[in-house]
Amino acid sequence: MHGGRWYIALVKFMEVGYDLFWMVVGLSRTGTWTKSLNETAASSTTCTLPKGTDNYAAEERHAYGGPWDGGEVGTQLPAKGHAVDGPQDGSEEGAPLPVENAVEDDGLAALYPTLPSSSPRLCPLHQQLLELYCCDEKKDICEECSLHEHKGHQVVRAGEDRERVQQELNAKIQKSIADRERIIQSLLQVSQTHKARSVLQYSLQSTIQKLMMDSQTFFTDVLKSIELSCSQSIVAMDSSAQADSGTMKIWNPEPVISGVRSALDVYRQRLDDLTKTSLASIFRVVRIEPKLDPNSAYRQIRLSDASRKATLCAENQNYPEKPERFMFWRQVMCVEPLAGSPYYWEVEWTGQRVTVGVAYGDMARSAADDSARLGHNTQSWSLYWSGKAFFMWHAGKETALTGPKARRIGVYVDQQEGLLAFYRVSHNQAQEICCVHTHFEGPLFPSFRFWSGVGSAITICELE
């Protein structure tokens, strides 16, 4: 009996020490471990050794003051806010709860913040990692999905899709920047055109006013000359009547008519000279000498004379590759965009045939069809000399024209008013070949096309 009691006392002592150890560990986190330790020690000293198993269990309940859980002797349910002294939910034996469950709401929670926990995402169908991305259906998938449900779709790794999206976004940003730069350039061109137009209108008004004043002065001189001629004729008639008084003679008005004719001839000549001078002063504002663009020239077109002359050659000029270069048709475009109104330039050409015209800057360059052929699409207009006659071309439609050959051609374009005219220039005289009234949607570039015949050339003329 004595040996059994000592054995039970030893077990009791070990269990109390075990529970006291874990209680100290748990209560130390809350800052109340000293009080609990004293209470536990007091309860341990006041308990008496049980005389039987039932008394032992009752004393255990009295010592710990908690509900009986039906488990092993000396155990109790953990209080809220304390660490666990046994396995919970399959965790390792003796492991404490996570930090967020280990403290009371007493201001110490900030010392143990809740950290995000992420678990790998699994496919609900195949229970595999979602490591792939379907670009067609825009969702994450696994390896098995790519082989079955998403077979044939565009599938990439998640990181690769992110890089692709980033590249597309960068491309859109660059395109947006380029579009805004083009808009700014267009606004600058419109501003310059508006300024040039204002200057032109002022010059035109001044010239017309001067022409009216000069015409009024000249008409006054002509009337005075006619009045003088009439007066002289009347005086001559009176003198003749007095000398031949009593003799009946027929009056001859030819001297008066001759004088009027002379005055009108002088008036006509002076008016013609005044008109030419006035028109020349008007066109001096808008006359240009456009330069040929080497980046657009066909590989067998050689530029010279400071890009004012283009010659068709047999050998390749070895130009660098440029997106604006004509790759199939023997053509070249000028550098200057013509926006607003008006502009005038002249060109001389040699060879059997030639095409002179204007085109939008976005006309196709590398195509071998009519989309890059001057005058054969909606992006260009051209005047063509076939060797026998002139023809007007636009949008693939041909219009036959009458008139003789012209080695020097003048081009007048008013982009704002939608006016395009070609002139036959000879001996400082311009005769209209054809005139087109249309609507231009953007700036125009002077353009030229060569036909067969090595050595054929076009030259931008210098205008006085």
Side-chain angles (χ1 to χ4, degrees), residues 16-233:
V16 170
Y18 180 82
D19 292 342
L20 182 62
F21 170 77
W22 286 112
M23 184 175 297
V24 171
V25 172
L27 293 178
S28 64
R29 300 186 181 181
T30 64
T32 59
W33 64 275
T34 305
K35 178 179 180 181
S36 299
L37 182 60
N38 294 333
E39 292 176 356
T40 304
S43 62
S44 299
T45 55
T46 57
C47 68
T48 57
L49 293 177
K51 298 181 179 180
T53 305
D54 295 337
N55 293 335
Y56 175 76
E59 289 174 354
E60 279 290 304
R61 290 195 301 272
H62 174 73
Y64 290 96
W68 179 252
D69 59 1
E72 294 183 1
V73 176
T75 61
Q76 72 175 87
L77 291 176
K80 182 179 179 182
H82 294 264
V84 182
D85 59 355
Q88 297 288 332
D89 298 330
S91 60
E92 184 177 352
E93 181 176 357
L97 285 174
V99 174
E100 61 268 21
N101 295 330
V103 294
E104 293 274 353
D105 186 13
D106 55 359
L108 297 179
L111 298 177
Y112 304 95
T114 302
L115 300 178
S117 60
S118 60
S119 58
R121 299 172 57 198
L122 300 179
C123 175
L125 295 178
H126 307 104
Q127 296 302 313
Q128 294 186 10
L129 293 178
L130 298 175
E131 298 179 333
L132 303 178
Y133 181 80
C134 178
C135 299
D136 296 342
E137 298 188 10
K138 301 189 181 305
K139 60 185 298 187
D140 295 328
I141 61 174
C142 67
E143 292 284 353
E144 289 295 326
C145 292
S146 65
L147 299 177
H148 298 92
E149 290 82 0
H150 296 263
K151 185 177 181 180
H153 294 182
Q154 184 182 359
V155 177
V156 297
R157 295 284 176 184
E160 295 175 357
D161 180 70
R162 190 181 301 110
E163 293 178 359
R164 180 183 62 83
V165 173
Q166 185 66 33
Q167 291 176 357
E168 293 178 356
L169 181 61
N170 291 338
K172 291 181 180 179
I173 293 174
Q174 294 298 328
K175 184 177 182 300
S176 178
I177 294 174
D179 292 341
R180 280 161 175 75
E181 289 179 350
R182 283 196 295 268
I183 292 174
I184 293 174
Q185 292 297 328
S186 300
L187 292 176
L188 291 176
Q189 292 178 0
V190 170
S191 176
Q192 295 174 357
T193 301
H194 179 72
K195 184 177 180 180
R197 183 178 178 83
S198 300
V199 174
L200 174 63
Q201 290 178 347
Y202 177 77
S203 176
L204 183 61
Q205 292 175 357
S206 301
T207 304
I208 292 175
Q209 291 177 359
K210 185 176 182 299
L211 179 62
M212 293 176 63
M213 294 176 61
D214 293 344
S215 300
Q216 185 177 1
T217 302
F218 184 72
F219 272 120
T220 302
D221 295 340
V222 170
L223 290 176
K224 289 181 179 180
S225 178
I226 292 175
E227 291 175 355
L228 179 61
S229 298
C230 291
S231 300
Q232 291 176 353
S233 298

Side-chain angles (χ1 to χ4, degrees), residues 395-454:
K397 296 180 180 180
E398 178 187 58
T399 303
L401 306 172
T402 59
K405 182 179 181 179
R407 285 292 183 181
R408 185 164 180 152
I409 297 174
V411 184
Y412 177 89
V413 58
D414 190 332
Q415 185 264 346
Q416 187 168 358
E417 298 296 332
L419 179 62
L420 174 64
F422 296 92
Y423 295 90
R424 181 183 296 103
V425 181
S426 177
H427 304 291
N428 293 326
Q429 297 293 327
Q431 181 183 2
E432 184 178 289
I433 301 175
C434 69
C435 183
V436 177
H437 295 272
T438 184
H439 172 69
F440 297 119
E441 298 180 351
L444 299 168
F445 293 79
S447 305
F448 310 92
R449 178 188 171 192
F450 288 91
W451 295 74
S452 59
V454 174

